[in-house]
CSV table of all heavy atoms in Angstrom, one decimal:
chain,number,residue,atom,x,y,z
A,25,ASN,N,9.8,19.4,-15.3
A,25,ASN,CA,10.0,20.6,-14.4
A,25,ASN,C,10.6,21.7,-15.1
A,25,ASN,O,10.2,22.8,-14.9
A,25,ASN,CB,10.9,20.1,-13.2
A,25,ASN,CG,10.2,19.2,-12.2
A,25,ASN,OD1,9.0,19.2,-12.3
A,25,ASN,ND2,11.0,18.4,-11.6
A,26,ILE,N,11.6,21.4,-16.0
A,26,ILE,CA,12.2,22.5,-16.7
A,26,ILE,C,11.2,23.2,-17.7
A,26,ILE,O,11.1,24.5,-17.7
A,26,ILE,CB,13.5,22.0,-17.6
A,26,ILE,CG1,14.6,21.6,-16.7
A,26,ILE,CG2,13.8,23.1,-18.5
A,26,ILE,CD1,15.6,20.9,-17.4
A,27,ARG,N,10.4,22.4,-18.3
A,27,ARG,CA,9.4,22.9,-19.2
A,27,ARG,C,8.3,23.7,-18.4
A,27,ARG,O,7.9,24.9,-18.9
A,27,ARG,CB,8.6,21.7,-19.9
A,27,ARG,CG,7.4,22.2,-20.8
A,27,ARG,CD,6.8,21.1,-21.5
A,27,ARG,NE,6.1,20.1,-20.5
A,27,ARG,CZ,5.0,20.3,-19.9
A,27,ARG,NH1,4.3,21.4,-20.0
A,27,ARG,NH2,4.6,19.3,-19.2
A,28,LYS,N,7.8,23.2,-17.3
A,28,LYS,CA,6.8,23.9,-16.6
A,28,LYS,C,7.4,25.1,-16.0
A,28,LYS,O,6.7,26.2,-16.0
A,28,LYS,CB,6.3,23.0,-15.4
A,28,LYS,CG,5.3,21.9,-16.0
A,28,LYS,CD,4.7,21.2,-14.9
A,28,LYS,CE,3.5,20.4,-15.4
A,28,LYS,NZ,2.7,20.0,-14.4
A,29,SER,N,8.6,25.2,-15.5
A,29,SER,CA,9.2,26.4,-14.8
A,29,SER,C,9.4,27.5,-16.0
A,29,SER,O,9.5,28.7,-15.6
A,29,SER,CB,10.6,26.1,-14.3
A,29,SER,OG,11.6,25.8,-15.2
A,30,ASN,N,9.4,27.1,-17.4
A,30,ASN,CA,9.4,28.1,-18.4
A,30,ASN,C,8.1,28.4,-18.9
A,30,ASN,O,7.9,29.1,-19.9
A,30,ASN,CB,10.4,27.6,-19.5
A,30,ASN,CG,11.8,27.8,-19.0
A,30,ASN,OD1,12.5,28.8,-19.4
A,30,ASN,ND2,12.4,26.7,-18.4
A,31,LYS,N,7.0,27.9,-18.3
A,31,LYS,CA,5.6,28.2,-18.6
A,31,LYS,C,5.3,27.8,-19.9
A,31,LYS,O,4.7,28.6,-20.7
A,31,LYS,CB,5.3,29.6,-18.3
A,31,LYS,CG,5.4,29.9,-16.8
A,31,LYS,CD,5.1,31.4,-16.6
A,31,LYS,CE,5.1,31.7,-15.0
A,31,LYS,NZ,6.2,31.6,-14.4
A,32,LEU,N,5.7,26.6,-20.4
A,32,LEU,CA,5.5,26.1,-21.8
A,32,LEU,C,4.5,24.9,-21.7
A,32,LEU,O,4.7,24.1,-20.8
A,32,LEU,CB,6.8,25.7,-22.5
A,32,LEU,CG,7.7,26.7,-22.8
A,32,LEU,CD1,9.0,26.2,-23.2
A,32,LEU,CD2,7.3,27.5,-23.9
A,33,THR,N,3.8,24.7,-22.7
A,33,THR,CA,3.0,23.5,-22.9
A,33,THR,C,3.9,22.4,-23.6
A,33,THR,O,4.8,22.8,-24.3
A,33,THR,CB,1.6,23.7,-23.6
A,33,THR,OG1,2.1,24.1,-25.0
A,33,THR,CG2,0.9,24.7,-23.0
A,34,GLN,N,3.5,21.3,-23.6
A,34,GLN,CA,4.2,20.2,-24.4
A,34,GLN,C,4.2,20.6,-25.8
A,34,GLN,O,5.2,20.4,-26.5
A,34,GLN,CB,3.6,18.8,-24.0
A,34,GLN,CG,3.9,18.3,-22.7
A,34,GLN,CD,3.2,17.0,-22.5
A,34,GLN,OE1,2.1,16.6,-23.1
A,34,GLN,NE2,3.7,16.3,-21.5
A,35,LYS,N,3.0,21.0,-26.2
A,35,LYS,CA,2.8,21.4,-27.7
A,35,LYS,C,3.7,22.5,-28.1
A,35,LYS,O,4.3,22.5,-29.2
A,35,LYS,CB,1.4,21.7,-28.0
A,35,LYS,CG,1.1,22.1,-29.3
A,35,LYS,CD,-0.4,22.3,-29.5
A,35,LYS,CE,-0.8,22.3,-31.0
A,35,LYS,NZ,-2.3,22.3,-31.2
A,36,GLN,N,3.8,23.5,-27.2
A,36,GLN,CA,4.6,24.7,-27.6
A,36,GLN,C,6.1,24.2,-27.7
A,36,GLN,O,6.8,24.6,-28.6
A,36,GLN,CB,4.5,25.7,-26.5
A,36,GLN,CG,3.2,26.5,-26.5
A,36,GLN,CD,3.0,27.4,-25.3
A,36,GLN,OE1,3.4,26.9,-24.1
A,36,GLN,NE2,2.4,28.5,-25.4
A,37,LEU,N,6.5,23.5,-26.7
A,37,LEU,CA,8.0,23.1,-26.7
A,37,LEU,C,8.4,22.2,-27.9
A,37,LEU,O,9.3,22.4,-28.5
A,37,LEU,CB,8.4,22.5,-25.4
A,37,LEU,CG,9.8,22.0,-25.3
A,37,LEU,CD1,10.7,23.3,-25.5
A,37,LEU,CD2,10.0,21.4,-23.8
A,38,ALA,N,7.4,21.3,-28.1
A,38,ALA,CA,7.7,20.3,-29.2
A,38,ALA,C,7.8,21.1,-30.6
A,38,ALA,O,8.8,20.9,-31.4
A,38,ALA,CB,6.5,19.3,-29.4
A,39,LYS,N,6.9,22.1,-30.7
A,39,LYS,CA,7.0,23.0,-31.9
A,39,LYS,C,8.3,23.8,-32.0
A,39,LYS,O,9.0,23.8,-33.0
A,39,LYS,CB,5.8,23.9,-31.9
A,39,LYS,CG,5.7,24.8,-33.3
A,39,LYS,CD,4.5,25.6,-33.2
A,39,LYS,CE,4.5,26.4,-34.5
A,39,LYS,NZ,3.3,27.3,-34.6
A,40,GLU,N,8.8,24.3,-30.9
A,40,GLU,CA,10.0,25.1,-30.8
A,40,GLU,C,11.2,24.2,-31.2
A,40,GLU,O,12.1,24.8,-31.9
A,40,GLU,CB,10.2,25.7,-29.5
A,40,GLU,CG,9.2,26.8,-29.1
A,40,GLU,CD,9.4,28.0,-29.9
A,40,GLU,OE1,10.6,28.3,-30.4
A,40,GLU,OE2,8.5,28.7,-30.2
A,41,ILE,N,11.2,23.1,-30.8
A,41,ILE,CA,12.4,22.2,-31.2
A,41,ILE,C,12.3,21.4,-32.4
A,41,ILE,O,13.1,20.6,-32.7
A,41,ILE,CB,12.9,21.4,-29.9
A,41,ILE,CG1,11.8,20.3,-29.6
A,41,ILE,CG2,13.3,22.3,-28.8
A,41,ILE,CD1,12.3,19.3,-28.5
A,42,GLY,N,11.1,21.5,-33.0
A,42,GLY,CA,10.9,20.7,-34.3
A,42,GLY,C,10.6,19.3,-34.2
A,42,GLY,O,11.0,18.5,-35.2
A,43,ILE,N,9.9,18.8,-33.2
A,43,ILE,CA,9.4,17.6,-33.1
A,43,ILE,C,7.8,17.3,-32.9
A,43,ILE,O,7.2,18.4,-32.6
A,43,ILE,CB,10.0,16.7,-32.0
A,43,ILE,CG1,9.7,17.4,-30.6
A,43,ILE,CG2,11.7,16.6,-32.3
A,43,ILE,CD1,10.3,16.4,-29.4
A,44,ALA,N,7.3,16.3,-33.1
A,44,ALA,CA,5.8,16.2,-33.0
A,44,ALA,C,5.5,16.1,-31.5
A,44,ALA,O,6.2,15.7,-30.6
A,44,ALA,CB,5.3,14.8,-33.6
A,45,GLU,N,4.3,16.7,-31.1
A,45,GLU,CA,3.9,16.6,-29.7
A,45,GLU,C,3.9,15.2,-29.1
A,45,GLU,O,4.3,15.1,-27.9
A,45,GLU,CB,2.6,17.4,-29.6
A,45,GLU,CG,2.0,17.5,-28.2
A,45,GLU,CD,0.7,18.1,-28.1
A,45,GLU,OE1,0.0,18.4,-29.1
A,45,GLU,OE2,0.3,18.2,-27.0
A,46,CYS,N,3.5,14.3,-29.8
A,46,CYS,CA,3.4,13.0,-29.3
A,46,CYS,C,4.7,12.3,-29.0
A,46,CYS,O,4.9,11.6,-28.0
A,46,CYS,CB,2.4,12.0,-30.2
A,46,CYS,SG,3.2,11.8,-31.8
A,47,VAL,N,5.8,12.8,-29.7
A,47,VAL,CA,7.1,12.3,-29.6
A,47,VAL,C,7.6,12.9,-28.3
A,47,VAL,O,8.0,12.2,-27.3
A,47,VAL,CB,7.9,12.7,-30.7
A,47,VAL,CG1,9.4,12.3,-30.3
A,47,VAL,CG2,7.6,11.9,-32.0
A,48,TYR,N,7.3,14.2,-28.0
A,48,TYR,CA,7.7,14.9,-26.8
A,48,TYR,C,7.0,14.3,-25.6
A,48,TYR,O,7.6,14.1,-24.6
A,48,TYR,CB,7.5,16.4,-26.9
A,48,TYR,CG,7.9,17.0,-25.6
A,48,TYR,CD1,9.1,17.3,-25.4
A,48,TYR,CD2,7.0,17.3,-24.5
A,48,TYR,CE1,9.6,17.9,-24.3
A,48,TYR,CE2,7.6,17.8,-23.4
A,48,TYR,CZ,8.8,18.1,-23.2
A,48,TYR,OH,9.2,18.6,-21.9
A,49,GLN,N,5.8,13.9,-25.7
A,49,GLN,CA,5.0,13.3,-24.6
A,49,GLN,C,5.6,12.1,-24.2
A,49,GLN,O,5.7,11.8,-23.0
A,49,GLN,CB,3.5,13.2,-25.0
A,49,GLN,CG,2.8,14.4,-25.2
A,49,GLN,CD,1.4,14.3,-25.7
A,49,GLN,OE1,1.2,13.2,-26.5
A,49,GLN,NE2,0.6,15.3,-25.6
A,50,ARG,N,6.2,11.4,-25.1
A,50,ARG,CA,6.8,10.1,-24.7
A,50,ARG,C,8.1,10.3,-23.9
A,50,ARG,O,8.4,9.5,-23.1
A,50,ARG,CB,7.3,9.2,-25.9
A,50,ARG,CG,6.0,8.8,-26.8
A,50,ARG,CD,6.5,7.9,-27.9
A,50,ARG,NE,5.4,7.7,-28.8
A,50,ARG,CZ,5.3,8.0,-30.1
A,50,ARG,NH1,6.3,8.4,-30.7
A,50,ARG,NH2,4.2,7.7,-30.8
A,51,TYR,N,8.7,11.5,-24.0
A,51,TYR,CA,9.9,11.8,-23.3
A,51,TYR,C,9.4,12.1,-21.7
A,51,TYR,O,10.1,11.4,-20.8
A,51,TYR,CB,10.6,12.9,-23.7
A,51,TYR,CG,11.1,12.9,-25.0
A,51,TYR,CD1,11.3,14.0,-25.9
A,51,TYR,CD2,11.5,11.8,-25.7
A,51,TYR,CE1,11.8,14.0,-27.2
A,51,TYR,CE2,11.9,11.6,-27.0
A,51,TYR,CZ,12.0,12.7,-27.7
A,51,TYR,OH,12.6,12.8,-29.0
A,52,GLU,N,8.3,12.7,-21.6
A,52,GLU,CA,8.0,13.0,-20.2
A,52,GLU,C,7.3,11.9,-19.5
A,52,GLU,O,7.2,11.7,-18.3
A,52,GLU,CB,7.0,14.2,-20.2
A,52,GLU,CG,7.7,15.5,-20.4
A,52,GLU,CD,6.9,16.8,-20.0
A,52,GLU,OE1,5.7,16.6,-19.7
A,52,GLU,OE2,7.4,17.9,-20.4
A,53,ARG,N,6.8,10.9,-20.3
A,53,ARG,CA,6.2,9.6,-19.7
A,53,ARG,C,7.3,8.6,-19.6
A,53,ARG,O,7.0,7.4,-19.0
A,53,ARG,CB,5.0,9.1,-20.7
A,53,ARG,CG,3.8,10.0,-20.6
A,53,ARG,CD,2.7,9.3,-21.2
A,53,ARG,NE,2.8,8.6,-22.4
A,53,ARG,CZ,2.6,8.9,-23.6
A,53,ARG,NH1,2.0,10.0,-23.9
A,53,ARG,NH2,2.8,8.0,-24.6
A,54,ASP,N,8.5,8.9,-20.0
A,54,ASP,CA,9.6,7.9,-19.8
A,54,ASP,C,9.4,6.6,-20.7
A,54,ASP,O,9.8,5.6,-20.3
A,54,ASP,CB,9.8,7.7,-18.3
A,54,ASP,CG,11.3,7.1,-18.1
A,54,ASP,OD1,12.2,7.4,-18.9
A,54,ASP,OD2,11.4,6.3,-17.1
A,55,VAL,N,8.7,6.9,-21.8
A,55,VAL,CA,8.6,5.8,-22.8
A,55,VAL,C,9.8,5.6,-23.6
A,55,VAL,O,10.1,4.4,-23.9
A,55,VAL,CB,7.2,6.0,-23.5
A,55,VAL,CG1,7.1,4.9,-24.6
A,55,VAL,CG2,6.0,6.0,-22.7
């Protein structure tokens, strides 16, 4: 919800904080 309210894609946010997109996706999938 925070990411979407800031109009960011998972890829954009992952890049901004210095992690791989697939790692970020695991956070949102609660893996």
Side-chain angles (χ1 to χ4, degrees):
N25 289 339
I26 293 170
R27 176 183 58 79
K28 285 187 168 194
S29 71
N30 283 272
K31 298 179 174 62
L32 293 167
T33 65
Q34 292 177 336
K35 185 175 188 170
Q36 289 169 323
L37 182 52
K39 183 177 179 180
E40 288 293 328
I41 63 169
I43 62 172
E45 180 182 4
C46 63
V47 172
Y48 180 81
Q49 289 170 341
R50 291 182 194 128
Y51 302 153
E52 286 195 7
R53 290 194 323 254
D54 202 25
V55 173

